[in-house]
Amino acid sequence: DRGSCSDLLKDLNIPYPDYGVAHDIDQALEIANRVSYPVLVRPSYVLGGQRMRIVINDKELEKHVLSIYKHLPDNKVLIDQFLERAKEAEVDAIFDGEELMIMGIMEHIEPAGIHSGDSSAVLPTYSLSEESVQTMRDYTLMLAKALDIRGLINIQFAIKDEKVFVIEANPRASRTTPFIAKAYKTPFLNIATHVMMGTKKLKDFDVKRDLEGYAIKVPVFSFDKFPNVDKQLGPEMKSTGEMIRFIKDLQDPYFRQLDRDRSMYLSR
């Protein structure tokens, strides 16, 4: 529940984009004008960014909110301030009620606004400041405690002007957990399962990470099988899988090309 999540973040004094919950068109228009355009419009309780859109004016907002109510009539509509040109990162962690284990912190190459499943992401981070990374670690521990997690948690962050915002918190496994486990050659999911079942604590494991250089999560698309699908990327997920590409350093030509093209694919 995105509204409840934002209320929790407010109680914990963790920054998050300004937002509102709308139950009709008039409320949606009032919220969007309060938080100011562009805004991210999305229903609650959906996966893969279903029916998420970035809208820039009242006309677009009205059209999209009507579409959400038509297809998801019993859902709420969340309207969030969209942080333009922000960097995005995510943390996967395990919490056993006492200790937190950060599995990995991945930095997205594309800016915030492209669904995390469609973005190329680098493990570990490559351009974020040490302060931003530590802030993400601190917020992850605070949220894991507040949500009383036993097992896996995934948190997605936006970093704008060195300020770290939480944009989503998922008390579950994410699509990046197997990626991180394979990249580091560490059985994190076995560890998390023991924690979830209460058979072991994190202190019972001696964890070693084996990664030279960086691992890049590369999204896989099936546009050749679906030729009529809009190929522009945005908040709604379109990838159908992912691969791992290992690079020795940031001078790698593949990474440099991705970094040069990082802002070319964002659509509304």
Side-chain angles (χ1 to χ4, degrees):
D1 185 305
R2 295 181 183 276
S4 297
C5 180
S6 296
D7 291 340
L8 176 61
L9 294 170
K10 184 177 182 179
D11 291 342
L12 294 173
N13 199 28
I14 295 175
Y16 58 91
D18 195 5
Y19 85 103
V21 182
H23 297 87
D24 56 43
I25 290 292
D26 290 338
Q27 277 188 331
L29 289 168
E30 179 185 342
I31 293 166
N33 281 278
R34 173 175 59 80
V35 305
S36 76
Y37 289 105
V39 294
L40 182 65
V41 182
R42 51 187 172 179
S44 260
Y45 303 114
V46 295
L47 291 174
Q50 183 188 10
R51 300 196 177 278
M52 279 191 187
R53 295 289 186 278
I54 299 167
V55 303
I56 61 172
N57 56 42
D58 287 354
K59 184 177 180 180
E60 284 190 2
L61 179 74
E62 187 171 350
K63 180 180 178 181
H64 186 53
V65 170
L66 285 172
S67 174
I68 291 175
Y69 287 139
K70 177 181 177 181
H71 292 91
L72 301 167
D74 298 323
N75 214 319
K76 296 178 290 188
V77 174
L78 275 291
I79 298 171
D80 297 88
Q81 175 191 20
F82 177 62
L83 301 173
E84 289 187 277
R85 299 192 177 280
K87 294 182 178 181
E88 189 167 345
E90 58 187 298
V91 171
D92 281 293
I94 306 169
F95 188 63
D96 65 6
E98 300 171 1
E99 185 181 350
L100 181 77
M101 178 186 290
I102 300 287
M103 292 171 48
I105 304 178
M106 302 178 66
E107 180 179 349
H108 296 194
I109 294 178
E110 292 84 4
I114 290 178
H115 193 280
S116 60
D118 291 350
S119 61
S120 303
V122 181
L123 177 76
T125 62
Y126 66 95
S127 72
L128 297 175
S129 68
E130 291 184 10
E131 291 79 7
S132 294
V133 172
Q134 185 57 50
T135 298
M136 288 191 286
R137 289 176 175 272
D138 295 341
Y139 290 167
T140 300
L141 178 59
M142 291 167 65
L143 281 166
K145 286 181 176 179
L147 293 169
D148 201 23
I149 294 294
R150 298 294 184 277
L152 292 155
I153 184 169
N154 167 267
I155 304 178
Q156 298 180 21
F157 300 90
I159 302 94
K160 185 176 176 66
D161 300 327
E162 289 299 307
K163 184 176 182 179
V164 177
F165 298 82
V166 168
I167 55 177
E168 190 171 294
N170 300 299
R172 55 168 173 79
S174 73
R175 71 177 58 82
T176 45
T177 52
F179 171 89
I180 293 172
K182 290 177 182 178
Y184 280 139
K185 301 176 186 175
T186 304
F188 286 119
L189 303 183
N190 290 348
I191 295 170
T193 302
H194 277 291
V195 170
M196 292 167 70
M197 295 177 67
T199 54
K200 290 185 178 181
K201 291 281 194 176
L202 289 174
K203 65 183 179 182
D204 298 323
F205 297 95
D206 181 20
V207 173
K208 295 182 174 62
R209 292 168 171 80
D210 181 13
L211 174 62
E212 293 184 9
Y214 297 84
I216 302 177
K217 178 180 75 71
V218 182
V220 175
F221 299 94
S222 299
F223 293 136
D224 56 333
K225 297 180 180 179
F226 304 99
N228 296 324
V229 171
D230 180 3
K231 297 175 178 60
Q232 288 186 298
L233 303 183
E236 192 168 33
M237 183 175 165
K238 296 178 180 178
S239 65
T240 53
E242 59 195 26
M243 303 182 296
I244 301 179
R245 188 180 185 106
F246 294 97
I247 61 172
K248 291 182 178 180
D249 55 49
L250 299 180
Q251 298 305 310
D252 184 89
Y254 179 80
F255 167 79
R256 293 180 68 182
Q257 185 66 46
L258 282 177
D259 194 49
R260 278 195 297 268
D261 296 343
R262 63 187 304 273
S263 297
M264 288 179 59
Y265 303 108
L266 177 60
S267 71
R268 292 186 285 113

